[in-house]
Amino acid sequence: MDQLLDAERENERIVLGLLNSVEHDGDRSQRRIAADLGIALGLVNAYLKRCVKKGLVKVQDAPARRYAYYLTPQGFAEKSRLTVQYLSHSFSFFRLAKAECARAFETARASGFNRIVLAGKSDLAEIAILCAVEAAVTIVAVVDASSDDRQFLGVEVVKSFAELDKSFDAVIITDVTRAKISFDAAVEAYGIDRVLAPPLLGLPQSNKAGSAA
């Protein structure tokens, strides 16, 4: 059982490392990726093909008979999910998430945002709710389309922004499985200056949000 768990975590490590590498430099050679991840060149090729097949990565021709890779929206979502999952195997996730939530709340208060909606019911949302008490901000609600709960740690849960019947100032993304989808929906509804995301989710930051990172 332990061997299977170790193999699964190693697989997650490789996929996460590969997705991070593609995001930062899609023109990087497979040989360079193999060296960075500490795995065989053939294994990089196999994982890239698997990621392409799953729709996480797209490939296009590049000069000198090379290929350039880039992440799809599904790839960004999977990278965010794996990042949180990988970190959550250790206490480092709690420390990192707490620190980033605290900075997000500092940024929110500096912008005059005191009433916050969380987008996504998750472990990250739980940490954010706990941090909100220290930050002296109010969590108005948690928006999560996949949750059937009415309450989460004493906070109202609704399935969409349209169902919110309370006023609020800003949205913080706490969705770890569909972070990019939740982020895009919030930005479309309220504008990027009213949407903040902890950097661990790997999402774009507004100038205000970035200043707290």
Side-chain angles (χ1 to χ4, degrees), residues 44-95:
V44 170
N45 185 263
Y47 270 89
L48 272 172
K49 288 181 178 178
R50 190 181 307 173
C51 287
V52 170
K53 187 175 181 180
K54 288 183 177 181
L56 306 179
V57 172
K58 282 197 173 183
V59 58
Q60 62 184 21
D61 292 329
R65 296 182 180 180
R66 295 181 61 185
Y67 297 100
Y69 299 90
Y70 61 94
L71 295 188
T72 64
Q74 294 92 330
F76 280 106
E78 180 67 1
K79 184 180 75 70
S80 297
R81 185 189 72 81
L82 286 173
T83 298
V84 174
Q85 185 167 308
Y86 186 72
L87 288 171
S88 66
H89 292 321
S90 68
F91 186 66
S92 63
F93 169 70
F94 176 81
R95 288 183 298 177

Side-chain angles (χ1 to χ4, degrees), residues 86-149:
Y86 186 72
L87 288 171
S88 66
H89 292 321
S90 68
F91 186 66
S92 63
F93 169 70
F94 176 81
R95 288 183 298 177
L96 177 62
K98 183 178 180 182
E100 292 192 359
C101 285
R103 284 197 294 270
F105 288 138
E106 286 177 9
T107 300
R109 291 191 63 193
S111 300
F113 301 152
N114 297 307
R115 294 174 58 81
I116 306 295
V117 167
L118 302 180
K121 177 175 167 285
S122 64
D123 290 343
L124 183 57
E126 182 175 352
I127 293 170
I129 291 171
L130 296 175
C131 289
V133 177
E134 296 180 9
V137 300
T138 300
I139 304 299
V140 174
V142 177
V143 176
D144 192 313
S146 63
S147 177
D148 293 322
D149 296 333

